[in-house]
Amino acid sequence: MPIDPERLLNWPFEDLEHTYTARDTILYALGLGLGADPLDEAQLRFVYEENLAALPTMAVVLGYPGFWVKDPATGVDWKKVLHGEQGLEVFKPLPAEGTVIGRTRVTGIIDKGAGKGALLLSDRDVIDKKSGDLLCRVSGTSFLRGDGGFGGSSGPAPAPHAMPERAPDLSVSIPTLPQAALIYRLSGDYNPLHADPKVAAAGGFKAPILHGLCTYGVAGRALLQAVGGSKPESLRRMDVRFTSPVYPGETIVTEIWKGEGGAVSFRAKVAERDVVVLNNGRAEFG
Ligand SMILES: C/C=C/C(=O)SCCNC(=O)CCNC(=O)[C@H](O)C(C)(C)COP(=O)(O)OP(=O)(O)OC[C@H]1O[C@@H](n2cnc3c(N)ncnc32)[C@H](O)[C@@H]1OP(=O)(O)O
């Protein structure tokens, strides 16, 4: 049965209250592999309760409504869904612990055609419950590989950021753990694609793949270290397209081009296979 775009556009998300503790903040950072060097104090700040800070990319797991397209009422062929793009706009630094409200909405459905797929665009505001302040806006595109050709609008889709043609200015290499997806999922994304070999095979993969948002967080780590002076409050924005899956245990090399006024372009490759896994990345620091 084809998906019904009106139904998805009006999906009845309720505000989601999410209380997170220092332990959750540390677990998120461990899922990105932080703390591998016990003498690195810049990393310790995100994995040790003393003077703990939250990584800015942790916003992507806060107030998250879960893998809601798995609900049969969506009509989505959920085993074929891949994360296509991710954006984050930061208005206030995340507290190391607290209670937030996640307010999600679907903002667009684009038909790429039968056999190609459909894009589902959504936004989530992450609001501090106590002050009512908007902390950040998280935006995502899901690529629904099994749901193209439903007869909907074919665009326009947001244009990906144009990358510089010269060689990168900086490069940061970060290994992931073989069990990285199994740790990362404990931050709230329990999609079995990242844990269950049978579900991974049904999606066309040889093994469970890493969460796109884990790769995103690893690239965020690299950017923070190379451009943001390891100061979590320095990241203002981070947008990227996922171009190929990463398998847990692979090494993610983030390449960075310096731009004007605190902006950078970036992409990431898997070192072992020389495949670009993130592309068209743009981040702002201030
Ligand atoms: C629930 C899952 C959670 C996860 O975490 S999954 C893990 C993270 N995500 C990934 O690993 C996905 C990696 N990306 C891919 O595997 C591929 O990349 C895609 C399957 C998403 C698309 O590849 P292809 O079907 O070969 O696309 P095309 O033929 O190059 O382009 C078709 C149209 O789709 C647009 N497009 C391509 N990639 C993306 C993307 N990643 N996000 C949004 N749009 C995309 C293009 O521009 C073009 O559009 P136009 O037909 O209008 O020219």
Side-chain angles (χ1 to χ4, degrees):
M1 202 180 72
I3 51 169
D4 174 354
E6 279 311 307
R7 183 163 202 180
L8 292 172
L9 281 165
N10 294 302
W11 194 258
F13 293 103
E14 290 188 357
D15 280 3
L16 201 146
E17 185 169 319
H18 180 176
T19 297
Y20 63 100
T21 63
R23 192 181 160 92
D24 299 314
T25 298
I26 291 171
L27 185 60
Y28 172 77
L30 290 174
L32 305 186
L34 278 128
D37 178 354
L39 297 180
D40 182 341
E41 293 200 10
Q43 287 193 37
L44 204 56
R45 190 145 181 234
F46 302 107
V47 288
Y48 178 45
E49 60 277 17
E50 202 150 298
N51 196 28
L52 181 69
L55 284 160
T57 53
M58 189 176 77
V60 302
V61 303
L62 297 182
Y64 172 61
F67 188 47
W68 62 275
V69 295
K70 195 161 176 273
D71 183 332
T74 64
V76 170
D77 183 357
W78 66 269
K79 287 186 183 162
K80 298 220 176 100
V81 176
L82 291 177
H83 204 139
E85 292 168 319
Q86 184 64 37
L88 169 66
E89 201 177 349
V90 181
F91 303 109
K92 299 212 158 168
L94 287 179
E97 52 190 346
T99 299
V100 293
I101 307 293
R103 188 166 294 159
T104 302
R105 60 204 158 258
V106 174
T107 56
I109 314 272
I110 295 172
D111 193 350
K112 290 287 184 193
K116 280 202 159 186
L119 303 182
L120 185 151
L121 282 65
S122 62
D123 269 359
R124 185 168 79 252
D125 287 346
V126 179
I127 300 156
D128 181 58
K129 188 185 174 200
K130 204 164 161 194
S131 64
D133 291 344
L134 177 62
L135 299 177
C136 43
R137 182 162 293 146
V138 178
S139 56
T141 305
S142 296
F143 205 106
L144 316 181
R145 290 180 297 160
D147 297 290
F150 62 88
S153 157
S154 61
H161 169 62
M163 296 294 284
E165 285 179 13
R166 61 192 164 86
D169 300 311
L170 302 162
S171 164
V172 180
S173 180
I174 298 179
T176 63
L177 290 170
Q179 62 273 42
L182 297 173
I183 301 173
Y184 185 84
R185 67 200 302 271
L186 302 177
S187 286
D189 185 345
Y190 293 100
N191 182 348
L193 175 64
H194 309 293
D196 186 334
K198 291 186 288 304
V199 174
F205 301 107
K206 65 174 184 185
I209 60 174
L210 196 60
H211 300 71
L213 289 179
C214 183
T215 306
Y216 179 85
V218 171
R221 259 186 78 179
L223 291 168
L224 208 58
Q225 178 188 320
V227 188
S230 294
K231 295 196 189 91
E233 65 282 6
S234 64
L235 182 71
R236 298 272 178 270
R237 233 195 133 101
M238 182 175 161
D239 303 300
V240 81
R241 179 174 270 203
F242 299 99
T243 49
S244 195
V246 175
Y247 289 96
E250 293 184 319
T251 306
I252 297 171
V253 180
T254 305
E255 298 178 329
I256 304 165
W257 289 257
K258 290 185 179 164
E260 309 259 306
V264 296
S265 300
F266 68 97
R267 74 174 174 206
K269 289 181 176 173
V270 159
E272 291 81 356
R273 292 183 285 124
D274 196 26
V275 170
V276 176
V277 292
L278 297 181
N279 208 349
N280 310 101
R282 186 178 179 282
E284 286 174 21
F285 287 83

